CSV table of all heavy atoms in Angstrom, one decimal:
chain,number,residue,atom,x,y,z
A,740,MET,N,38.1,79.7,56.3
A,740,MET,CA,39.5,79.7,56.2
A,740,MET,C,39.9,79.9,54.8
A,740,MET,O,39.4,79.2,53.9
A,740,MET,CB,40.0,78.3,56.8
A,740,MET,CG,41.5,78.2,56.7
A,740,MET,SD,42.0,76.6,57.4
A,740,MET,CE,43.0,76.0,56.0
A,741,THR,N,40.9,80.7,54.6
A,741,THR,CA,41.4,81.0,53.2
A,741,THR,C,42.6,80.1,53.0
A,741,THR,O,43.5,80.0,53.8
A,741,THR,CB,41.8,82.4,53.0
A,741,THR,OG1,40.7,83.3,53.3
A,741,THR,CG2,42.3,82.7,51.6
A,742,LEU,N,42.5,79.4,51.9
A,742,LEU,CA,43.6,78.5,51.5
A,742,LEU,C,44.5,79.1,50.4
A,742,LEU,O,43.9,79.5,49.4
A,742,LEU,CB,43.1,77.1,51.0
A,742,LEU,CG,44.1,76.1,50.6
A,742,LEU,CD1,44.9,75.6,51.8
A,742,LEU,CD2,43.4,74.9,50.0
A,743,HIS,N,45.7,79.2,50.6
A,743,HIS,CA,46.7,79.7,49.6
A,743,HIS,C,46.9,78.5,48.6
A,743,HIS,O,47.2,77.4,49.1
A,743,HIS,CB,48.0,80.2,50.2
A,743,HIS,CG,49.0,80.5,49.2
A,743,HIS,ND1,48.9,81.7,48.5
A,743,HIS,CD2,50.1,79.9,48.8
A,743,HIS,CE1,50.0,81.7,47.7
A,743,HIS,NE2,50.7,80.6,47.8
A,744,ILE,N,46.8,78.8,47.4
A,744,ILE,CA,47.0,77.8,46.4
A,744,ILE,C,48.5,77.9,45.9
A,744,ILE,O,48.9,78.9,45.4
A,744,ILE,CB,46.1,77.9,45.2
A,744,ILE,CG1,44.6,77.8,45.7
A,744,ILE,CG2,46.3,76.9,44.1
A,744,ILE,CD1,43.6,78.0,44.6
A,745,SER,N,49.2,76.7,46.1
A,745,SER,CA,50.6,76.7,45.7
A,745,SER,C,50.7,76.7,44.1
A,745,SER,O,49.7,76.5,43.4
A,745,SER,CB,51.2,75.4,46.2
A,745,SER,OG,50.7,74.3,45.6
A,746,GLN,N,51.9,76.9,43.7
A,746,GLN,CA,52.1,76.8,42.2
A,746,GLN,C,51.7,75.5,41.6
A,746,GLN,O,51.1,75.4,40.6
A,746,GLN,CB,53.6,77.2,41.9
A,746,GLN,CG,53.8,77.4,40.4
A,746,GLN,CD,53.0,78.6,39.9
A,746,GLN,OE1,52.8,79.6,40.6
A,746,GLN,NE2,52.6,78.5,38.7
A,747,ARG,N,52.1,74.4,42.4
A,747,ARG,CA,51.7,73.1,41.9
A,747,ARG,C,50.2,72.9,41.9
A,747,ARG,O,49.6,72.4,41.0
A,747,ARG,CB,52.3,72.1,42.8
A,747,ARG,CG,52.2,70.6,42.4
A,747,ARG,CD,53.2,69.7,43.1
A,747,ARG,NE,53.0,69.9,44.6
A,747,ARG,CZ,52.8,68.8,45.4
A,747,ARG,NH1,52.7,67.6,44.9
A,747,ARG,NH2,52.7,69.0,46.7
A,748,GLY,N,49.5,73.5,42.9
A,748,GLY,CA,48.0,73.4,43.0
A,748,GLY,C,47.4,74.2,41.8
A,748,GLY,O,46.4,73.7,41.2
A,749,LYS,N,48.0,75.3,41.5
A,749,LYS,CA,47.5,76.1,40.3
A,749,LYS,C,47.6,75.3,39.0
A,749,LYS,O,46.7,75.4,38.2
A,749,LYS,CB,48.3,77.4,40.2
A,749,LYS,CG,47.9,78.4,41.3
A,749,LYS,CD,48.8,79.7,41.1
A,749,LYS,CE,48.5,80.6,42.3
A,749,LYS,NZ,49.4,81.8,42.2
A,750,GLN,N,48.6,74.5,38.9
A,750,GLN,CA,48.8,73.7,37.7
A,750,GLN,C,47.7,72.6,37.6
A,750,GLN,O,47.2,72.4,36.5
A,750,GLN,CB,50.2,73.1,37.6
A,750,GLN,CG,51.3,74.1,37.3
A,750,GLN,CD,51.1,74.8,36.0
A,750,GLN,OE1,50.7,74.2,35.0
A,750,GLN,NE2,51.3,76.1,36.0
A,751,TYR,N,47.4,72.0,38.7
A,751,TYR,CA,46.4,71.0,38.8
A,751,TYR,C,45.0,71.7,38.5
A,751,TYR,O,44.2,71.1,37.7
A,751,TYR,CB,46.3,70.4,40.2
A,751,TYR,CG,47.3,69.3,40.4
A,751,TYR,CD1,48.2,69.3,41.5
A,751,TYR,CD2,47.3,68.2,39.6
A,751,TYR,CE1,49.1,68.3,41.7
A,751,TYR,CE2,48.3,67.1,39.8
A,751,TYR,CZ,49.1,67.2,40.9
A,751,TYR,OH,50.0,66.2,41.1
A,752,LEU,N,44.8,72.9,39.0
A,752,LEU,CA,43.5,73.5,38.7
A,752,LEU,C,43.4,73.9,37.2
A,752,LEU,O,42.3,73.8,36.6
A,752,LEU,CB,43.3,74.8,39.6
A,752,LEU,CG,43.0,74.5,41.0
A,752,LEU,CD1,42.9,75.9,41.8
A,752,LEU,CD2,41.7,73.8,41.1
A,753,LYS,N,44.5,74.3,36.6
A,753,LYS,CA,44.5,74.7,35.2
A,753,LYS,C,44.2,73.4,34.4
A,753,LYS,O,43.4,73.5,33.4
A,753,LYS,CB,45.9,75.2,34.8
A,753,LYS,CG,46.0,75.7,33.4
A,753,LYS,CD,47.4,76.2,33.1
A,753,LYS,CE,47.5,76.6,31.7
A,753,LYS,NZ,48.9,77.0,31.3
A,754,THR,N,44.7,72.3,34.8
A,754,THR,CA,44.4,71.0,34.0
A,754,THR,C,42.9,70.7,34.2
A,754,THR,O,42.2,70.3,33.3
A,754,THR,CB,45.3,69.9,34.6
A,754,THR,OG1,46.7,70.3,34.3
A,754,THR,CG2,45.0,68.6,33.9
A,755,ALA,N,42.4,70.9,35.4
A,755,ALA,CA,41.0,70.6,35.7
A,755,ALA,C,40.1,71.4,34.9
A,755,ALA,O,39.1,71.0,34.3
A,755,ALA,CB,40.7,70.8,37.2
A,756,GLN,N,40.4,72.7,34.7
A,756,GLN,CA,39.6,73.6,33.9
A,756,GLN,C,39.7,73.2,32.5
A,756,GLN,O,38.6,73.3,31.8
A,756,GLN,CB,40.1,75.1,34.1
A,756,GLN,CG,39.8,75.6,35.5
A,756,GLN,CD,40.6,76.9,35.8
A,756,GLN,OE1,41.5,77.3,35.0
A,756,GLN,NE2,40.2,77.6,36.8
A,757,THR,N,40.8,72.8,32.0
A,757,THR,CA,40.9,72.4,30.6
A,757,THR,C,40.1,71.1,30.4
A,757,THR,O,39.4,71.0,29.3
A,757,THR,CB,42.4,72.1,30.2
A,757,THR,OG1,43.2,73.3,30.4
A,757,THR,CG2,42.5,71.6,28.8
A,758,LEU,N,40.1,70.2,31.3
A,758,LEU,CA,39.3,69.0,31.2
A,758,LEU,C,37.8,69.3,31.2
A,758,LEU,O,37.0,68.8,30.4
A,758,LEU,CB,39.6,68.0,32.3
A,758,LEU,CG,41.0,67.3,32.2
A,758,LEU,CD1,41.3,66.7,33.6
A,758,LEU,CD2,41.0,66.3,31.1
A,759,LEU,N,37.4,70.3,32.0
A,759,LEU,CA,36.0,70.6,32.1
A,759,LEU,C,35.5,71.3,30.8
A,759,LEU,O,34.4,71.1,30.2
A,759,LEU,CB,35.7,71.6,33.2
A,759,LEU,CG,35.7,70.9,34.6
A,759,LEU,CD1,35.5,71.9,35.7
A,759,LEU,CD2,34.5,69.9,34.7
A,760,ARG,N,36.4,72.2,30.2
A,760,ARG,CA,36.1,72.9,28.9
A,760,ARG,C,35.9,71.8,27.8
A,760,ARG,O,35.0,71.9,27.0
A,760,ARG,CB,37.1,73.9,28.6
A,760,ARG,CG,37.0,75.2,29.2
A,760,ARG,CD,37.8,76.3,28.5
A,760,ARG,NE,39.2,75.9,28.3
A,760,ARG,CZ,40.2,76.1,29.3
A,760,ARG,NH1,39.9,76.6,30.4
A,760,ARG,NH2,41.4,75.7,29.0
A,761,THR,N,36.8,70.8,27.8
A,761,THR,CA,36.8,69.8,26.8
A,761,THR,C,35.5,69.0,27.0
A,761,THR,O,34.8,68.6,26.0
A,761,THR,CB,38.0,68.9,26.9
A,761,THR,OG1,39.2,69.7,26.8
A,761,THR,CG2,38.0,67.8,25.8
A,762,ALA,N,35.1,68.6,28.2
A,762,ALA,CA,33.9,67.8,28.5
A,762,ALA,C,32.7,68.5,28.0
A,762,ALA,O,31.8,67.9,27.5
A,762,ALA,CB,33.8,67.6,30.0
A,763,LYS,N,32.7,69.8,28.1
A,763,LYS,CA,31.5,70.6,27.6
A,763,LYS,C,31.3,70.5,26.1
A,763,LYS,O,30.2,70.7,25.6
A,763,LYS,CB,31.6,72.1,28.1
A,763,LYS,CG,31.4,72.2,29.5
A,763,LYS,CD,31.5,73.7,29.9
A,763,LYS,CE,31.4,73.9,31.4
A,763,LYS,NZ,31.6,75.2,31.8
A,764,THR,N,32.4,70.2,25.4
A,764,THR,CA,32.3,70.2,23.9
A,764,THR,C,32.0,68.8,23.4
A,764,THR,O,31.7,68.6,22.2
A,764,THR,CB,33.6,70.7,23.3
A,764,THR,OG1,34.6,69.8,23.6
A,764,THR,CG2,33.9,72.1,23.7
A,765,MET,N,32.0,67.8,24.3
A,765,MET,CA,31.8,66.4,23.9
A,765,MET,C,30.4,66.1,23.6
A,765,MET,O,29.5,66.5,24.3
A,765,MET,CB,32.3,65.5,25.1
A,765,MET,CG,33.7,65.4,25.3
A,765,MET,SD,34.4,64.4,23.9
A,765,MET,CE,36.1,64.9,24.1
A,766,THR,N,30.2,65.3,22.6
A,766,THR,CA,28.8,64.9,22.3
A,766,THR,C,28.6,63.5,22.9
A,766,THR,O,27.4,63.1,23.2
A,766,THR,CB,28.6,64.8,20.7
A,766,THR,OG1,29.6,63.9,20.2
A,766,THR,CG2,28.6,66.1,20.1
A,767,ASP,N,29.6,62.7,23.2
A,767,ASP,CA,29.5,61.5,23.8
A,767,ASP,C,29.5,61.7,25.3
A,767,ASP,O,30.5,62.1,25.9
A,767,ASP,CB,30.7,60.6,23.4
A,767,ASP,CG,30.6,59.2,24.0
A,767,ASP,OD1,30.1,59.0,25.0
A,767,ASP,OD2,31.2,58.3,23.3
A,768,GLN,N,28.3,61.5,25.9
A,768,GLN,CA,28.1,61.8,27.3
A,768,GLN,C,29.0,60.9,28.2
A,768,GLN,O,29.4,61.3,29.3
A,768,GLN,CB,26.7,61.7,27.7
A,768,GLN,CG,25.8,62.8,27.1
A,768,GLN,CD,26.4,64.2,27.4
A,768,GLN,OE1,26.6,64.5,28.5
A,768,GLN,NE2,26.7,64.9,26.3
A,769,ALA,N,29.3,59.7,27.8
A,769,ALA,CA,30.1,58.8,28.6
A,769,ALA,C,31.5,59.3,28.7
A,769,ALA,O,32.1,59.4,29.8
A,769,ALA,CB,30.2,57.4,28.0
A,770,ILE,N,32.1,59.8,27.7
A,770,ILE,CA,33.4,60.4,27.7
A,770,ILE,C,33.4,61.7,28.5
A,770,ILE,O,34.3,62.0,29.3
A,770,ILE,CB,34.0,60.6,26.3
A,770,ILE,CG1,34.2,59.2,25.6
A,770,ILE,CG2,35.2,61.4,26.3
A,770,ILE,CD1,34.6,59.3,24.2
A,771,ALA,N,32.3,62.5,28.3
A,771,ALA,CA,32.2,63.8,29.0
A,771,ALA,C,32.2,63.5,30.5
A,771,ALA,O,32.8,64.2,31.3
A,771,ALA,CB,31.0,64.5,28.5
A,772,GLY,N,31.4,62.5,30.9
A,772,GLY,CA,31.4,62.1,32.3
A,772,GLY,C,32.7,61.7,32.9
A,772,GLY,O,33.0,62.1,34.0
A,773,ARG,N,33.4,61.0,32.1
A,773,ARG,CA,34.8,60.6,32.6
A,773,ARG,C,35.7,61.8,32.7
A,773,ARG,O,36.5,61.9,33.6
A,773,ARG,CB,35.4,59.5,31.6
A,773,ARG,CG,34.7,58.2,31.7
A,773,ARG,CD,35.3,57.2,30.9
A,773,ARG,NE,34.7,55.9,31.0
A,773,ARG,CZ,35.2,54.8,30.7
A,773,ARG,NH1,36.4,54.7,30.2
A,773,ARG,NH2,34.5,53.6,30.8
A,774,LEU,N,35.6,62.7,31.7
A,774,LEU,CA,36.4,63.9,31.8
A,774,LEU,C,36.1,64.7,33.0
A,774,LEU,O,37.0,65.3,33.7
A,774,LEU,CB,36.3,64.7,30.5
A,774,LEU,CG,37.0,64.1,29.3
A,774,LEU,CD1,36.6,65.0,28.0
A,774,LEU,CD2,38.5,64.1,29.4
A,775,LYS,N,34.8,64.8,33.3
A,775,LYS,CA,34.4,65.6,34.5
A,775,LYS,C,34.9,64.9,35.8
A,775,LYS,O,35.3,65.6,36.7
A,775,LYS,CB,32.8,65.7,34.5
A,775,LYS,CG,32.3,66.7,33.5
A,775,LYS,CD,30.8,66.7,33.5
A,775,LYS,CE,30.3,67.6,32.3
A,775,LYS,NZ,28.8,67.5,32.2
A,776,ALA,N,34.8,63.6,35.8
A,776,ALA,CA,35.3,62.9,37.0
A,776,ALA,C,36.8,63.1,37.1
A,776,ALA,O,37.4,63.3,38.3
A,776,ALA,CB,35.0,61.4,36.9
A,777,LEU,N,37.5,63.1,36.0
A,777,LEU,CA,39.0,63.4,36.0
A,777,LEU,C,39.3,64.8,36.5
A,777,LEU,O,40.2,65.0,37.3
A,777,LEU,CB,39.6,63.1,34.7
A,777,LEU,CG,41.1,63.1,34.5
A,777,LEU,CD1,41.7,62.0,35.5
A,777,LEU,CD2,41.5,62.8,33.1
A,778,ALA,N,38.5,65.7,36.1
A,778,ALA,CA,38.6,67.1,36.5
A,778,ALA,C,38.4,67.2,38.0
A,778,ALA,O,39.1,68.0,38.7
A,778,ALA,CB,37.6,68.0,35.7
A,779,ASP,N,37.4,66.5,38.5
A,779,ASP,CA,37.2,66.5,40.0
A,779,ASP,C,38.4,66.0,40.7
A,779,ASP,O,38.8,66.5,41.8
A,779,ASP,CB,35.9,65.7,40.3
A,779,ASP,CG,34.6,66.3,39.9
A,779,ASP,OD1,34.6,67.6,39.7
A,779,ASP,OD2,33.6,65.6,39.9
A,780,ASP,N,39.0,64.9,40.2
A,780,ASP,CA,40.2,64.4,40.8
A,780,ASP,C,41.3,65.4,40.8
A,780,ASP,O,42.0,65.5,41.8
A,780,ASP,CB,40.6,63.1,40.0
A,780,ASP,CG,41.8,62.4,40.6
A,780,ASP,OD1,41.8,62.1,41.9
A,780,ASP,OD2,42.8,62.3,39.9
A,781,TYR,N,41.5,66.1,39.7
A,781,TYR,CA,42.5,67.1,39.6
A,781,TYR,C,42.3,68.3,40.6
A,781,TYR,O,43.2,68.8,41.2
A,781,TYR,CB,42.7,67.6,38.2
A,781,TYR,CG,43.7,66.8,37.4
A,781,TYR,CD1,43.3,65.6,36.8
A,781,TYR,CD2,45.1,67.2,37.4
A,781,TYR,CE1,44.3,64.9,36.1
A,781,TYR,CE2,46.0,66.4,36.7
A,781,TYR,CZ,45.6,65.3,36.1
A,781,TYR,OH,46.5,64.5,35.4
A,782,GLU,N,41.0,68.6,40.8
A,782,GLU,CA,40.7,69.6,41.8
A,782,GLU,C,41.1,69.1,43.2
A,782,GLU,O,41.6,69.9,44.0
A,782,GLU,CB,39.2,70.0,41.8
A,782,GLU,CG,38.9,70.8,40.5
A,782,GLU,CD,37.4,71.1,40.4
A,782,GLU,OE1,36.6,70.6,41.2
A,782,GLU,OE2,37.1,71.9,39.5
A,783,ARG,N,40.8,67.9,43.5
A,783,ARG,CA,41.2,67.3,44.8
A,783,ARG,C,42.7,67.3,44.9
A,783,ARG,O,43.3,67.6,46.0
A,783,ARG,CB,40.7,65.9,45.0
A,783,ARG,CG,39.2,65.9,45.4
A,783,ARG,CD,38.7,64.5,45.7
A,783,ARG,NE,38.8,63.5,44.6
A,783,ARG,CZ,37.9,63.4,43.7
A,783,ARG,NH1,36.8,64.1,43.7
A,783,ARG,NH2,38.1,62.5,42.7
A,784,ARG,N,43.4,67.0,43.8
A,784,ARG,CA,44.9,67.0,43.9
A,784,ARG,C,45.4,68.4,44.1
A,784,ARG,O,46.4,68.6,44.8
A,784,ARG,CB,45.4,66.5,42.5
A,784,ARG,CG,45.3,65.0,42.3
A,784,ARG,CD,45.8,64.6,41.0
A,784,ARG,NE,45.4,63.2,40.6
A,784,ARG,CZ,46.2,62.4,40.0
A,784,ARG,NH1,47.3,62.8,39.5
A,784,ARG,NH2,45.8,61.2,39.7
A,785,ALA,N,44.8,69.4,43.6
A,785,ALA,CA,45.2,70.8,43.8
A,785,ALA,C,45.1,71.1,45.2
A,785,ALA,O,46.0,71.8,45.8
A,785,ALA,CB,44.3,71.7,42.9
A,786,GLU,N,44.0,70.8,45.9
A,786,GLU,CA,43.8,71.1,47.3
A,786,GLU,C,44.9,70.4,48.1
A,786,GLU,O,45.5,71.0,49.0
A,786,GLU,CB,42.4,70.6,47.8
A,786,GLU,CG,41.3,71.5,47.2
A,786,GLU,CD,39.9,70.9,47.5
A,786,GLU,OE1,39.8,70.0,48.3
A,786,GLU,OE2,39.0,71.4,46.9
A,787,LYS,N,45.1,69.1,47.8
A,787,LYS,CA,46.1,68.3,48.6
A,787,LYS,C,47.5,68.8,48.4
A,787,LYS,O,48.3,69.0,49.3
A,787,LYS,CB,46.0,66.8,48.2
A,787,LYS,CG,47.0,66.0,49.0
A,787,LYS,CD,46.9,64.5,48.6
A,787,LYS,CE,47.8,63.6,49.4
A,787,LYS,NZ,49.1,64.1,49.7
A,788,ALA,N,47.8,69.2,47.1
A,788,ALA,CA,49.2,69.7,46.8
A,788,ALA,C,49.4,71.0,47.6
A,788,ALA,O,50.5,71.2,48.1
A,788,ALA,CB,49.3,69.9,45.3
A,789,SER,N,48.4,71.9,47.6
A,789,SER,CA,48.5,73.1,48.3
A,789,SER,C,48.7,72.9,49.8
A,789,SER,O,49.5,73.6,50.4
A,789,SER,CB,47.3,74.0,48.0
A,789,SER,OG,47.4,74.4,46.6
A,790,ARG,N,47.9,72.0,50.4
A,790,ARG,CA,48.1,71.7,51.8
A,790,ARG,C,49.5,71.1,52.1
A,790,ARG,O,50.1,71.6,53.0
A,790,ARG,CB,47.0,70.7,52.3
A,790,ARG,CG,45.7,71.3,52.5
A,790,ARG,CD,44.8,70.4,53.3
A,790,ARG,NE,44.7,69.0,52.7
A,790,ARG,CZ,43.8,68.7,51.8
A,790,ARG,NH1,42.9,69.5,51.4
A,790,ARG,NH2,43.8,67.4,51.3
A,791,ASP,N,49.9,70.2,51.3
A,791,ASP,CA,51.2,69.6,51.5
A,791,ASP,C,52.3,70.6,51.3
A,791,ASP,O,53.3,70.6,52.1
A,791,ASP,CB,51.4,68.4,50.5
A,791,ASP,CG,50.5,67.2,50.7
A,791,ASP,OD1,49.9,67.2,51.8
A,791,ASP,OD2,50.5,66.3,49.9
A,792,ASP,N,52.2,71.4,50.3
A,792,ASP,CA,53.3,72.5,50.1
A,792,ASP,C,53.3,73.5,51.2
A,792,ASP,O,54.4,73.9,51.7
A,792,ASP,CB,53.0,73.2,48.7
A,792,ASP,CG,53.3,72.3,47.6
A,792,ASP,OD1,53.8,71.2,47.7
A,792,ASP,OD2,52.9,72.6,46.4
A,793,ALA,N,52.1,73.8,51.8
A,793,ALA,CA,52.1,74.7,52.9
A,793,ALA,C,52.7,74.1,54.1
A,793,ALA,O,53.5,74.7,54.9
A,793,ALA,CB,50.7,75.2,53.2
A,794,ALA,N,52.4,72.8,54.4
A,794,ALA,CA,53.0,72.1,55.5
A,794,ALA,C,54.5,72.0,55.4
A,794,ALA,O,55.3,72.2,56.4
A,794,ALA,CB,52.4,70.7,55.6
A,795,LYS,N,55.0,71.8,54.2
A,795,LYS,CA,56.5,71.7,54.0
A,795,LYS,C,57.1,73.0,54.2
A,795,LYS,O,58.2,73.1,54.8
A,795,LYS,CB,56.8,71.2,52.5
A,795,LYS,CG,56.5,69.7,52.3
A,795,LYS,CD,56.7,69.3,50.9
A,795,LYS,CE,56.3,67.9,50.6
A,795,LYS,NZ,56.4,67.5,49.2
A,796,ALA,N,56.5,74.1,53.7
A,796,ALA,CA,57.0,75.5,54.0
A,796,ALA,C,57.0,75.8,55.4
A,796,ALA,O,58.0,76.4,55.9
A,796,ALA,CB,56.2,76.5,53.2
A,797,LEU,N,56.0,75.4,56.2
A,797,LEU,CA,55.9,75.7,57.6
A,797,LEU,C,57.0,74.9,58.3
A,797,LEU,O,57.7,75.4,59.2
A,797,LEU,CB,54.6,75.3,58.2
A,797,LEU,CG,54.3,75.6,59.6
A,797,LEU,CD1,54.4,77.1,59.9
A,797,LEU,CD2,52.9,75.1,60.0
A,798,ALA,N,57.2,73.6,57.9
A,798,ALA,CA,58.3,72.8,58.5
A,798,ALA,C,59.7,73.4,58.2
A,798,ALA,O,60.5,73.4,59.1
A,798,ALA,CB,58.2,71.4,58.0
A,799,ARG,N,59.9,73.9,57.0
A,799,ARG,CA,61.2,74.6,56.7
A,799,ARG,C,61.4,75.8,57.6
A,799,ARG,O,62.5,76.1,58.1
A,799,ARG,CB,61.2,74.9,55.2
A,799,ARG,CG,61.5,73.7,54.3
A,799,ARG,CD,61.9,74.2,52.9
A,799,ARG,NE,60.8,75.0,52.3
A,799,ARG,CZ,59.8,74.5,51.5
A,799,ARG,NH1,59.7,73.2,51.3
A,799,ARG,NH2,59.0,75.3,51.0
A,800,SER,N,60.3,76.6,57.7
A,800,SER,CA,60.4,77.8,58.6
A,800,SER,C,60.7,77.4,60.0
A,800,SER,O,61.6,78.1,60.6
A,800,SER,CB,59.1,78.6,58.5
A,800,SER,OG,58.9,79.1,57.2
A,801,ALA,N,60.1,76.4,60.5
A,801,ALA,CA,60.3,76.0,61.9
A,801,ALA,C,61.7,75.5,62.0
A,801,ALA,O,62.4,75.8,63.0
A,801,ALA,CB,59.3,74.9,62.3
A,802,ALA,N,62.2,74.8,61.1
A,802,ALA,CA,63.6,74.2,61.1
A,802,ALA,C,64.6,75.4,61.1
A,802,ALA,O,65.6,75.4,61.8
A,802,ALA,CB,63.8,73.3,60.0
A,803,ALA,N,64.3,76.4,60.3
A,803,ALA,CA,65.2,77.6,60.2
A,803,ALA,C,65.2,78.3,61.5
A,803,ALA,O,66.3,78.8,61.9
A,803,ALA,CB,64.8,78.5,59.1
A,804,LEU,N,64.1,78.4,62.2
A,804,LEU,CA,64.0,79.1,63.5
A,804,LEU,C,64.8,78.3,64.5
A,804,LEU,O,65.5,78.9,65.4
A,804,LEU,CB,62.6,79.3,63.9
A,804,LEU,CG,61.8,80.4,63.2
A,804,LEU,CD1,60.4,80.4,63.6
A,804,LEU,CD2,62.4,81.8,63.4
A,805,ASP,N,64.7,77.0,64.5
A,805,ASP,CA,65.4,76.2,65.4
A,805,ASP,C,66.9,76.3,65.3
A,805,ASP,O,67.7,76.1,66.2
A,805,ASP,CB,65.0,74.7,65.3
A,805,ASP,CG,63.6,74.4,65.8
A,805,ASP,OD1,63.1,75.3,66.5
A,805,ASP,OD2,63.1,73.4,65.5
A,806,GLN,N,67.4,76.6,64.1
A,806,GLN,CA,68.8,76.7,63.8
A,806,GLN,C,69.4,78.0,64.1
A,806,GLN,O,70.6,78.2,64.1
A,806,GLN,CB,69.1,76.3,62.4
A,806,GLN,CG,68.8,74.8,62.1
A,806,GLN,CD,69.1,74.5,60.6
A,806,GLN,OE1,69.4,75.3,59.8
A,806,GLN,NE2,68.9,73.2,60.3
A,807,GLN,N,68.6,79.0,64.4
A,807,GLN,CA,69.1,80.4,64.7
A,807,GLN,C,69.7,80.4,66.1
A,807,GLN,O,69.1,79.7,67.0
A,807,GLN,CB,68.0,81.4,64.6
A,807,GLN,CG,67.5,81.7,63.2
A,807,GLN,CD,66.5,82.8,63.2
A,807,GLN,OE1,65.9,83.2,64.2
A,807,GLN,NE2,66.2,83.2,62.0
A,808,PRO,N,70.8,81.1,66.3
A,808,PRO,CA,71.3,81.2,67.6
A,808,PRO,C,70.4,81.9,68.6
A,808,PRO,O,69.7,82.8,68.2
A,808,PRO,CB,72.6,82.0,67.5
A,808,PRO,CG,72.6,82.5,66.1
A,808,PRO,CD,71.5,81.8,65.3
A,809,ALA,N,70.4,81.5,69.8
A,809,ALA,CA,69.5,82.1,70.8
A,809,ALA,C,70.0,83.4,71.4
A,809,ALA,O,71.1,83.7,71.4
A,809,ALA,CB,69.3,81.1,72.0
């Protein structure tokens, strides 16, 4: 299944990528590990945001169809 990534999801992914790039430059492995965990969280948020945004768009479309005259 192909998942369309919403604009909000793209922003979360961009943040996750930034965190991962920063983690790679860290010499302190404890901080790098925390940054990687935070990046994972942002990736999950991106997936959830995209699913939620798609569901909202579908609901809006269904509502618009219901309001059209028969």
Side-chain angles (χ1 to χ4, degrees):
M740 179 179 130
T741 302
L742 177 67
H743 173 75
I744 299 175
S745 68
Q746 191 62 36
R747 189 167 52 128
K749 287 178 185 178
Q750 290 299 320
Y751 279 123
L752 285 178
K753 184 178 175 183
T754 300
Q756 291 168 348
T757 301
L758 289 166
L759 286 174
R760 274 195 311 275
T761 303
K763 289 178 184 179
T764 65
M765 288 287 163
T766 56
D767 186 327
Q768 292 305 306
I770 293 174
R773 288 183 181 201
L774 289 173
K775 288 177 185 175
L777 190 56
D779 289 342
D780 181 56
Y781 271 83
E782 288 175 353
R783 284 189 296 276
R784 289 177 189 216
E786 292 171 8
K787 184 179 182 317
S789 292
R790 280 194 309 269
D791 291 350
D792 291 348
K795 287 177 186 175
L797 185 60
R799 282 192 304 269
S800 294
L804 286 174
D805 287 343
Q806 292 178 357
Q807 289 183 351

